[in-house]
Amino acid sequence: MSQFCDIIKINYFCLDMIIKTKSRIIESAIEVFNANYSAPLQKVADNANITRRTLHRYFKDRNELVAVCEREMEISCKKAMINAIDSSNEPLVQLKNMLIAGINCGSKYSFFYKLHKGESHNHNKNNKDCADYDYIYQNFTQIIRDLQEQNIISRQMTIGWIQNLHAGIIISSVSSDLNNKETKLQIKEFAWKSFIKGISP
Amino acid sequence: MSQFCDIIKINYFCLDMIIKTKSRIIESAIEVFNANYSAPLQKVADNANITRRTLHRYFKDRNELVAVCEREMEISCKKAMINAIDSSNEPLVQLKNMLIAGINCGSKYSFFYKLHKGESHNHNKNNKDCADYDYIYQNFTQIIRDLQEQNIISRQMTIGWIQNLHAGIIISSVSSDLNNKETKLQIKEFAWKSFIKGISP
DNA sequence: CTTGAGTGTCTCAATTTAGTGACATTTAAC
DNA sequence: GTTAAATGTCACTAAATTGAGACACTCAAG
């Protein structure tokens, strides 16, 4: 039995290491590919502080890495957005939390949004990812409509523009994190203020 | 003499063709590289509706193409921004025109901004491009300060954030052009409204 | 201090991308 | 329809990137 436990322990240890390195590679890859989709894998490896050889031990090839990154982005962005939606019944609170959630997701959200909005992406309702994206978007739309009826948001602005602004402010907040003096908390406050005032009547 | 005129004519014709194709390649490259900095030249060629062979007739190698793209961006973005600044003495008008100018520059401005703000870019005052960028930024800063004193813009927000928002709204307006129903004119109106309200006190 | 999983180093073959030469095709001007 | 410049097609080499094998090194657990 003790031997069995050892195996378990070792396996847990190994699993832990694997997940640790593997997820570091994924996070790194999302960052790098978000900034430069065709960046060489060496850059991903450098960014993750491992060698390219190690990267190839975890991922069969570039396609697999990209696919796993997309999965990771889909899962964590959706989760964050759905949490934000579920966080309240108040549309204004929901909207704010969706913005904050996007900023917290960082380059994951930037990449996620680009993927679903990009020219090369052909949207397909039968694709689960697209369906989930639509679900979030429908919620977003409903929140905006509610707030427009309450006269908290301008009725002149289209949903398309508001969504565009929402994502645009998230993306620029994320990239600003790197080179500005403002704290992350300050950025989030500014982002929310600018967004909600920007679409007010 | 008639022969001489012929040569002139032919040369003008050739020059015209060369500029036409060359500038089409440059515009195409700016678009493609803005979306994906390491994209293969085949994509640039496809986007410009020429073959890769023709592209290589105009540009010695990738580095030269990239350098020319940067030159083009520097020149036309600066020109557009300086025109906007010179367009009026009213800070509010100047600010609006800078936003519109950015949107009109399209992916040129997106790329231009990324270049000067990117992590890899080490800013150097002795570099003319950086100096020119600083000049525009100083003007922008002065305009914001003026409007803050007039209480038209929130004094709580930092210049850094306001600049970030300005560029962010331009960039998302540019990328939204492609897949939304709104007309370009509408987008510009929305962009300006969202921006100025977003930074109001 | 041995063991083994994870990682690094060095190496090499396969694939993709970059760049060029030779020649055919298009195009507008004459 | 001839001409000359611009572009396209095809073929090729060079360079960069990718992916994997073989073996050494590290480091924590026993």
Side-chain angles (χ1 to χ4, degrees):
Chain A
M1 184 61 189
S2 83
Q3 211 171 3
F4 180 70
C5 287
D6 285 356
I7 291 167
I8 297 276
K9 265 191 210 163
I10 289 168
N11 281 346
Y12 268 125
F13 165 73
C14 300
L15 202 61
D16 196 49
M17 295 286 283
I18 287 170
I19 288 173
K20 216 176 143 196
T21 303
K22 190 163 190 173
S23 62
R24 202 169 65 239
I25 294 173
I26 296 169
E27 303 294 313
S28 162
I30 290 173
E31 253 182 50
V32 172
F33 292 153
N34 177 48
N36 180 2
Y37 191 74
S38 296
L41 296 181
Q42 185 65 58
K43 293 211 173 184
V44 177
D46 291 346
N47 197 241
N49 273 305
I50 52 157
T51 60
R52 197 167 58 83
R53 189 66 192 83
T54 298
L55 191 156
H56 281 296
R57 285 198 182 96
Y58 286 93
F59 301 95
K60 189 177 133 284
D61 57 22
R62 186 189 185 94
N63 291 340
E64 188 179 302
L65 176 57
V66 170
V68 172
C69 286
E70 291 185 6
R71 275 269 65 70
E72 164 59 21
M73 282 160 17
E74 294 289 343
I75 291 170
S76 55
C77 291
K78 272 174 211 163
K79 198 173 153 190
M81 285 300 157
I82 287 173
N83 278 346
I85 292 166
D86 291 344
S87 67
S88 170
N89 286 321
E90 267 303 313
L92 202 60
V93 176
Q94 292 175 308
L95 190 60
K96 176 171 182 176
N97 286 340
M98 284 180 89
L99 188 87
I100 304 295
I103 296 174
N104 286 336
C105 284
S107 49
K108 263 179 212 173
Y109 186 82
S110 305
F111 205 171
F112 172 77
Y113 186 77
K114 280 183 209 168
L115 264 188
H116 282 281
K117 280 290 177 184
E119 298 172 80
S120 54
H121 175 70
N122 28 6
H123 190 77
N124 175 4
K125 284 179 188 177
N126 297 324
N127 179 323
K128 190 178 178 305
D129 290 334
C130 292
D132 287 346
Y133 181 83
D134 284 345
Y135 172 77
I136 292 168
Y137 181 62
Q138 278 158 22
N139 275 276
F140 182 83
T141 302
Q142 194 50 55
I143 290 168
I144 299 301
R145 292 244 166 84
D146 284 354
L147 292 170
Q148 281 177 325
E149 278 180 21
Q150 289 180 248
N151 233 39
I152 293 174
I153 287 183
S154 162
R155 297 176 194 215
Q156 311 307 319
M157 288 187 179
T158 62
I159 301 280
W161 169 255
I162 293 171
Q163 192 199 15
N164 192 50
L165 185 68
H166 187 259
I169 287 181
I170 291 173
I171 292 170
S172 63
S173 297
V174 169
S175 56
S176 86
D177 269 357
L178 304 165
N179 32 32
N180 278 346
K181 296 168 264 178
E182 291 87 0
T183 65
K184 289 190 181 183
L185 195 64
Q186 239 188 327
I187 298 257
K188 287 177 197 172
E189 280 174 26
F190 287 157
W192 170 244
K193 276 191 191 168
S194 291
F195 176 59
I196 192 61
K197 282 197 291 191
I199 57 176
S200 66
Chain B
M1 184 62 190
S2 84
Q3 209 170 4
F4 179 71
C5 288
D6 286 355
I7 291 167
I8 296 279
K9 267 190 205 166
I10 288 168
N11 281 347
Y12 268 125
F13 165 73
C14 299
L15 202 62
D16 197 48
M17 293 287 282
I18 287 172
I19 288 173
K20 216 176 144 196
T21 304
K22 190 163 190 173
S23 62
R24 202 169 66 239
I25 295 173
I26 295 170
E27 304 294 313
S28 162
I30 290 173
E31 254 182 49
V32 172
F33 291 152
N34 177 48
N36 179 2
Y37 192 73
S38 297
L41 295 180
Q42 185 65 59
K43 292 213 172 184
V44 176
D46 290 346
N47 197 243
N49 274 305
I50 52 157
T51 60
R52 198 165 58 81
R53 189 66 191 82
T54 298
L55 191 155
H56 278 112
R57 284 198 182 97
Y58 286 93
F59 300 95
K60 188 178 133 284
D61 57 22
R62 188 189 183 93
N63 290 338
E64 186 178 305
L65 175 58
V66 170
V68 172
C69 287
E70 292 186 5
R71 274 270 65 69
E72 165 59 22
M73 284 162 12
E74 293 289 344
I75 290 169
S76 55
C77 291
K78 272 174 213 162
K79 197 173 155 191
M81 286 300 157
I82 287 173
N83 278 345
I85 292 167
D86 291 344
S87 68
S88 169
N89 286 322
E90 267 303 312
L92 202 59
V93 177
Q94 290 174 307
L95 190 61
K96 177 170 181 176
N97 286 340
M98 285 180 89
L99 189 88
I100 304 297
I103 296 174
N104 286 336
C105 284
S107 49
K108 261 179 213 174
Y109 186 83
S110 305
F111 206 172
F112 173 76
Y113 185 77
K114 281 184 207 166
L115 263 188
H116 282 281
K117 280 290 179 184
E119 301 173 78
S120 55
H121 175 70
N122 29 7
H123 191 77
N124 175 3
K125 283 180 188 175
N126 297 325
N127 179 322
K128 189 176 180 308
D129 290 335
C130 292
D132 287 346
Y133 182 82
D134 284 344
Y135 172 77
I136 292 168
Y137 181 61
Q138 279 159 20
N139 275 277
F140 183 82
T141 302
Q142 194 50 56
I143 290 168
I144 300 301
R145 292 244 165 84
D146 283 355
L147 293 170
Q148 282 178 324
E149 277 181 23
Q150 288 180 249
N151 233 39
I152 292 174
I153 286 183
S154 163
R155 297 177 194 213
Q156 310 307 318
M157 287 186 179
T158 61
I159 300 281
W161 170 256
I162 293 171
Q163 192 199 14
N164 192 50
L165 184 70
H166 187 258
I169 287 181
I170 291 173
I171 293 170
S172 63
S173 296
V174 169
S175 55
S176 87
D177 269 357
L178 303 165
N179 33 31
N180 279 346
K181 296 168 263 178
E182 291 88 358
T183 65
K184 289 189 181 184
L185 195 63
Q186 240 188 325
I187 297 256
K188 287 177 199 173
E189 280 175 25
F190 287 156
W192 169 244
K193 276 189 191 169
S194 291
F195 177 60
I196 193 61
K197 283 197 290 190
I199 57 177
S200 66

